[in-house]
Amino acid sequence: MARRAESGQTQQPGTTRTLLAGTEGGGRVRRTVLSGGLRVVTEAMPTVRSATFGVWVRVGSRDETPSLSGASHYLEHLLFKGTRRRDALEIAAVMDAVGGEMNAFTSKEYTCFYARVLDTDLPLAVDVVCDMVADSRLRAADVEAERGVILEEIAMHDDDPGDAVHDVFAGELFGDSPLGRPILGTVESIESIARTAIAGYYRRRYRLQDMVVAAAGNIDHTRLVRLVRKAFSAAAEDAGDNPPAPPRVRGRAPASRSGVRTVHRPIEQANLVLGVPGLPHSDDRRFALGVLSSALGGGMSSRLFQEVREKRGLAYSVYSYTAQYADTGVFGVYAGCLPKKVDQVLDICRDQLVSVADRGLTDEELARGKGQLRGSLVLGLEDSGSRMSRIAKAELVYGELLSVDEVLRRIEEVTLDDVRAVAAATLGRRPTLAVIGPFEDHDFSAAVA
């Protein structure tokens, strides 16, 4: 049985530790702490010819004040606009020239910049990505140009009700708290935010102790550490002797509420999310909740798919999902249907949530839920990018690294009683509902009663 590797344990700068030996379904995972608290974690995949390199920063939209709403995502864009060594075209061209893929994303609790290249081009990827993260110029002209790009992104997001309804749901569930605000910010916040505010946010939040460098693929850990140390040498001189920042502390969860929010739009489909607060990512019951979500709305054999789509033909898309944060989470059900069918779909979704909360799953559903969760986990780790993300999140978010076999074991150990208990604790609450569609006077209160 694989041991739990405590990624967040105290470790002297410059020392290297093996987290997993690579004998149980995964490659060898190693960790080195550099000056300033910067951590480097790698997973060796010697049978592939690619490598994925990422810099993860412990900053996301939940770290923003209302006046800085959207700043984390704004920074993600701006770091591609140029450094003292490269302008935006050079950053793009140098990666295109080797056939590499480079991108970034922002979440509620972290931001990631990554590149996927041939193993021989890994030094280039390290140099470019680290240069962007550590030495962005944040020129006033670039801030203004990117402001327009982000406003277009917000408009595009708002034009897709299947995406926008999730922001509406988060806003209704968590209110005007950081978790309730959209990652992209709002038109008002993006239009008003100043370059000086973004630059200050950059200096405060992009610190070496809040970063994790992760790489997976055909790589050599010692060589990568040398490349990363060189790339961040200037930042390390200014950082001082800081230990790595621990994962976000699980504290008092933000207040949540039950209610209904309807956004009127003259569109042909109703988009809805019905859900409740879920579990934080440190809660061991997350494995049982994952099995529950798979059985309830995770596949074609799930209850929701069968009851809503297969038996009644009420919707094309219906599924359940979970999201975890440091101190809370989300369990939600999404459906898209014709407006005239929205009450039927809501009745079925609510009935199924109540049924599972009261009675749990059947033996057959438990087995299917476990199988689907196990399969999606293993199949999702077939490429270097997913492996890189796994070890980075283990270090930055969880503070521990479980082997793939350990995760599979925990899934397999979930019992009907475990599912029933976690269902009662989460799904037994009064839900929150968000709806986008052609509704002006429709009464949805019965769905959350």
Side-chain angles (χ1 to χ4, degrees):
M1 181 183 299
R3 66 181 179 86
R4 174 187 297 188
E6 298 292 347
S7 304
Q9 287 178 345
T10 301
Q11 185 175 343
Q12 293 299 316
T15 61
T16 298
R17 193 155 51 88
T18 297
L19 300 183
L20 292 175
T23 59
E24 300 177 329
R28 186 184 189 193
V29 179
R30 303 180 72 192
R31 177 188 193 256
T32 297
V33 179
L34 300 180
S35 298
L38 178 66
R39 291 154 284 177
V40 181
V41 291
T42 66
E43 181 169 5
M45 301 172 65
T47 61
V48 303
R49 283 298 314 276
S50 68
T52 302
F53 173 83
V55 178
W56 296 65
V57 189
R58 196 183 71 158
V59 62
S61 60
R62 75 170 306 172
D63 299 303
E64 300 161 357
T65 61
S67 62
L68 284 172
S69 180
S72 302
H73 175 255
Y74 208 147
L75 261 179
E76 176 212 310
H77 279 238
L78 289 172
L79 265 56
F80 283 85
K81 302 300 287 185
T83 69
R84 282 182 289 186
R85 294 170 51 201
R86 300 178 177 92
D87 61 23
L89 176 58
E90 289 174 298
I91 290 173
V94 72
M95 294 302 294
D96 287 347
V98 298
E101 305 168 1
M102 186 168 63
N103 212 331
F105 61 86
T106 305
S107 76
K108 300 278 189 181
E109 296 189 330
Y110 49 80
T111 306
C112 172
F113 302 84
Y114 65 93
R116 183 170 181 263
V117 294
L118 296 177
D119 51 8
T120 53
D121 295 317
L122 181 60
L124 175 65
V126 173
D127 187 37
V128 172
V129 176
C130 294
D131 186 31
M132 289 168 47
V133 172
D135 199 25
S136 177
R137 295 177 68 185
L138 301 184
R139 298 187 312 164
D142 293 330
V143 172
E144 292 308 314
E146 210 60 26
R147 193 188 307 274
V149 173
I150 294 172
L151 290 172
E152 291 290 341
E153 186 175 356
I154 292 174
M156 180 176 66
H157 175 78
D158 289 346
D159 280 345
D160 186 344
D163 285 341
V165 71
H166 291 280
D167 280 348
V168 176
F169 172 76
E172 184 61 26
L173 181 63
F174 295 118
D176 188 27
S177 70
L179 285 180
R181 301 185 199 119
I183 293 172
L184 299 181
T186 64
V187 171
E188 294 75 22
S189 67
I190 298 302
E191 285 181 338
S192 63
I193 194 168
R195 179 204 171 274
T196 53
I198 296 177
Y201 192 73
Y202 178 47
R203 289 191 302 270
R204 294 191 305 273
R205 294 294 183 172
Y206 277 61
R207 305 177 303 171
L208 294 186
Q209 65 262 39
D210 290 317
M211 296 183 191
V212 169
V213 169
N218 190 20
I219 57 176
D220 176 81
H221 180 85
T222 302
R223 181 178 180 226
L224 180 70
V225 167
R226 287 198 298 266
L227 293 170
V228 173
R229 181 183 284 115
K230 179 181 178 181
F232 282 107
S233 59
E237 290 180 3
D238 298 332
D241 186 18
N242 296 309
R248 293 177 187 269
V249 177
R250 178 180 175 182
R252 183 177 181 181
S256 60
R257 58 191 185 185
S258 172
V260 178
R261 185 177 176 194
T262 305
V263 177
H264 171 71
R265 289 192 189 169
I267 53 180
E268 299 299 319
Q269 188 181 55
N271 295 264
L272 62 94
V273 173
L274 181 70
V276 294
L279 301 177
H281 49 57
S282 60
D283 195 318
D284 285 340
R285 294 176 297 168
R286 67 185 185 274
F287 298 101
L289 191 64
V291 171
L292 169 61
S293 181
S294 293
L296 180 64
M300 295 177 64
S301 66
S302 67
R303 285 195 190 186
L304 290 174
F305 192 93
Q306 287 294 313
E307 294 295 329
V308 174
R309 176 169 166 169
E310 291 297 289
K311 293 181 180 180
R312 298 174 176 84
L314 295 175
Y316 176 78
S317 179
V318 58
Y319 60 84
S320 63
Y321 66 94
T322 64
Q324 286 88 38
Y325 308 116
D327 40 20
T328 187
V330 170
F331 187 101
V333 172
Y334 167 84
C337 62
L338 291 175
K340 64 182 180 181
K341 298 179 180 179
V342 68
D343 288 324
Q344 291 176 270
V345 171
L346 274 173
D347 285 346
I348 295 170
C349 291
R350 184 65 199 276
D351 287 347
Q352 291 302 322
L353 291 178
V354 171
S355 175
V356 172
D358 289 345
R359 294 182 289 278
L361 301 175
T362 66
D363 290 325
E364 293 78 10
E365 288 173 327
L366 179 69
R368 288 199 302 268
K370 289 181 179 181
Q372 185 178 33
L373 203 56
R374 290 196 305 265
S376 62
L377 168 68
V378 175
L379 295 177
L381 293 175
E382 292 292 304
D383 64 88
S384 60
S386 58
R387 296 269 180 145
M388 182 275 291
S389 295
R390 188 177 89 91
I391 60 175
K393 290 179 182 178
E395 179 67 42
L396 190 70
V397 177
Y398 294 95
E400 66 174 4
L401 176 63
L402 303 179
S403 72
V404 174
D405 286 354
E406 173 70 7
V407 176
L408 294 176
R409 182 185 68 80
R410 292 195 180 194
I411 293 171
E412 185 56 37
E413 288 179 347
V414 172
T415 66
L416 287 173
D417 287 340
D418 293 333
V419 171
R420 188 177 297 110
V422 77
T426 53
L427 306 189
R429 309 177 191 179
R430 290 182 59 188
T432 298
L433 173 65
V435 182
I436 297 179
F439 307 105
E440 291 185 287
D441 302 317
H442 197 93
D443 184 6
F444 289 104
S445 59
V448 299

